[in-house]
Amino acid sequence: MQSTNDIKLGRFLSLVLRHDPSAARISLDEHGWADVDELLNGVRSTGRQIDRETLERIVRENNKQRYSFNEDHSGIRANQGHSLQVDVELLETKPPRYLYHGTALRFLPTIQLEGIKKMTRQHVHLSGVFQTAVAVGRRHGAPVVLRINAGAMAESGVRFYRSENGVWLCEYVPPEYFRVIETD
């Protein structure tokens, strides 16, 4: 189980590697990679305590597997969820027939009208596991889960990708491809 300090550092790493590298005074390349030594120095420059061992532990123990190292562990990046324009080199993958999207009940009327949008991210995030979608929805309030007919979407030409940590990604989910599933 991650310590409170590791959780706080993990959240800061998520901010830096997904949204705002300047928060640690670093930059990302076009594929979202940061130099590990620069990242460690940048994080320390903000007054946070981190070393390579701590970073390795955070990456290894993160329950959402948000980060990946390159082969020699000299580079690190977030697997998905960027608000920055980066190409994390996703491969198009045929999805299962159904995927799930968790959200808060208060967002449901808008989603039912407009579909599931990527908002500030590069992709809509979907799960292959119903309970994961419930947990995601719960983070934002009373949860509601939408069952996505990903098979039909793929047949109509929509591209799906699967990130290294198993999150399914696409550009947009039109309302005709989902229905509300009870969470209880």
Side-chain angles (χ1 to χ4, degrees), residues 77-128:
R77 71 177 173 190
N79 289 321
Q80 88 282 322
H82 299 82
S83 59
L84 304 166
Q85 288 302 310
V86 296
D87 173 12
V88 292
E89 306 165 292
L90 297 168
L91 297 176
E92 188 173 345
T93 305
K94 182 180 177 183
R97 181 171 180 194
Y98 295 112
L99 292 170
Y100 303 93
H101 180 78
T103 190
L105 184 60
R106 70 181 184 276
F107 300 135
L108 187 58
T110 301
I111 291 171
Q112 287 177 312
L113 283 174
E114 300 176 6
I116 305 171
K117 298 179 178 180
K118 59 186 177 179
M119 307 305 280
T120 61
R121 294 181 170 179
Q122 288 187 312
H123 297 96
V124 171
H125 291 202
L126 305 170
S127 174

Side-chain angles (χ1 to χ4, degrees), residues 11 15-16 19 24 29 87 90 133 152 169:
R11 287 184 181 145
L15 168 73
V16 170
H19 309 294
D29 74 11
D87 173 12
L90 297 168
L169 307 165

Side-chain angles (χ1 to χ4, degrees), residues 5-180:
N5 189 54
D6 280 3
I7 292 169
K8 287 180 182 177
L9 281 170
R11 287 184 181 145
F12 185 67
L13 290 171
S14 182
L15 168 73
V16 170
L17 296 173
R18 295 166 78 188
H19 309 294
D20 186 11
S22 67
R25 299 177 185 97
I26 66 162
S27 60
L28 306 178
D29 74 11
E30 67 274 11
H31 299 293
W33 292 105
D35 179 272
V36 169
D37 291 330
E38 288 177 16
L39 176 66
L40 292 171
N41 289 332
V43 171
R44 286 191 289 260
S45 77
T46 69
R48 292 170 173 86
Q49 300 298 311
I50 192 168
D51 56 21
R52 188 172 286 271
E53 180 181 322
T54 302
L55 180 62
E56 295 264 355
R57 183 177 61 247
I58 289 170
V59 171
R60 183 178 58 251
E61 295 179 4
N62 182 267
N63 64 341
K64 295 179 183 169
Q65 296 297 294
R66 283 198 167 133
Y67 322 102
S68 293
F69 285 110
N70 63 2
E71 228 174 88
D72 68 359
H73 286 224
S74 64
I76 185 173
R77 71 177 173 190
N79 289 321
Q80 88 282 322
H82 299 82
S83 59
L84 304 166
Q85 288 302 310
V86 296
D87 173 12
V88 292
E89 306 165 292
L90 297 168
L91 297 176
E92 188 173 345
T93 305
K94 182 180 177 183
R97 181 171 180 194
Y98 295 112
L99 292 170
Y100 303 93
H101 180 78
T103 190
L105 184 60
R106 70 181 184 276
F107 300 135
L108 187 58
T110 301
I111 291 171
Q112 287 177 312
L113 283 174
E114 300 176 6
I116 305 171
K117 298 179 178 180
K118 59 186 177 179
M119 307 305 280
T120 61
R121 294 181 170 179
Q122 288 187 312
H123 297 96
V124 171
H125 291 202
L126 305 170
S127 174
V129 180
F130 176 81
Q131 283 308 119
T132 300
V134 172
V136 168
R138 191 168 281 130
R139 288 195 325 237
H140 304 287
V144 62
V145 174
L146 306 173
R147 185 175 78 177
I148 314 303
N149 190 338
M153 286 178 64
E155 286 174 17
S156 74
V158 174
R159 294 179 175 182
F160 284 86
Y161 308 91
R162 190 163 188 230
S163 69
E164 287 192 36
N165 61 346
V167 175
W168 286 91
L169 307 165
C170 68
E171 289 288 316
Y172 169 69
V173 180
E176 62 267 22
Y177 288 105
F178 62 79
R179 71 178 189 87
V180 177

